Amino acid sequence: MTALYRTYRPQDFTEVVGQEAVVRTLRNAIEHDQLRQAYLFAGPRGTGKTSMARILAKALNCAQGPTTQPDNVCNPCVSIAAGTSLDVVEMDAASQRGIDDIREIRERVVLQPAEGRFKVYILDEAHQLTDAAWNALLKLIEEPPPHLVFVFCTTDLAKVLPTVRSRCQT
């Protein structure tokens, strides 16, 4: 049985409701080829942070893309929607919050994407990462490989290190 929130999760920017400013900002970044290496999505539970991160990953890796209108039928779009894409890694920072988990990311990011253009790391509940883990990530955020994009999703923006916040588009 599929969870209710997964059944009605938006699959592209046109289906997102109530986040017009965020959608406009991301679409403009894609259209004008001004993507950032790290994005920080903050807000209360249920506002679509992780959904927006997945849509961004689709837009970047779609066979037609990077595009503001992912087709949702190409292999990268289908695999991202199903959660099986090798190029989009979604981590729960509440349970994978230590420096060893971040070291594993650092070892894997040097690999090129399998079928898309970008490797996208989505860290949900990012505020739960330890300070040591954030510091280990900082070098990657500052000087990422050209194929790497981070999306940090958090319900508590104040717990994200200020140095990290200053290097992300929020």
Side-chain angles (χ1 to χ4, degrees):
M1 188 158 140
T2 306
L4 190 61
Y5 76 94
R6 289 190 191 271
T7 303
Y8 296 103
R9 175 177 269 172
Q11 296 300 312
D12 60 42
F13 290 125
T14 60
E15 295 179 7
V16 175
V17 177
Q19 300 291 342
E20 290 80 12
V22 177
V23 168
R24 188 176 340 104
T25 300
L26 293 175
R27 281 183 156 176
N28 285 340
I30 293 166
E31 284 176 358
H32 301 301
D33 195 29
Q34 294 183 343
L35 295 169
R36 301 293 178 247
Q37 74 278 5
Y39 291 90
L40 181 57
F41 296 161
R45 287 184 55 202
T47 54
K49 299 175 294 294
T50 306
S51 296
M52 192 69 76
R54 285 179 171 214
I55 293 169
L56 177 61
K58 274 190 203 178
L60 296 177
N61 285 326
C62 180
Q64 314 300 321
T67 179
T68 59
Q69 201 60 37
D71 62 18
N72 290 318
V73 296
C74 67
N75 195 43
C77 285
V78 171
S79 64
I80 291 169
T84 59
S85 175
L86 297 174
D87 295 333
V88 179
V89 179
E90 190 170 337
M91 292 177 58
D92 179 23
S95 59
Q96 297 171 307
R97 59 190 302 250
I99 194 162
D100 291 333
D101 300 307
I102 301 307
R103 283 187 182 133
E104 185 178 326
I105 291 175
R106 289 175 58 174
E107 291 171 5
R108 287 193 279 161
V109 296
V110 295
L111 302 173
Q112 292 292 320
E115 68 180 344
R117 288 168 194 79
F118 294 91
K119 262 199 154 357
V120 181
Y121 280 84
I122 301 170
L123 274 76
D124 204 8
E125 299 300 326
H127 63 275
Q128 297 210 20
L129 287 176
T130 64
D131 286 350
W134 277 119
N135 286 324
L137 260 180
L138 199 53
K139 182 76 170 172
L140 270 179
I141 296 169
E142 290 174 336
E143 298 173 16
H147 61 269
L148 179 64
V149 175
F150 280 109
V151 182
F152 303 110
C153 303
T154 182
T155 54
D156 195 349
L157 186 60
K159 288 186 180 176
V160 177
L161 290 181
T163 51
V164 173
R165 279 186 286 172
S166 70
R167 286 153 178 82
C168 296
Q169 177 159 350
T170 305

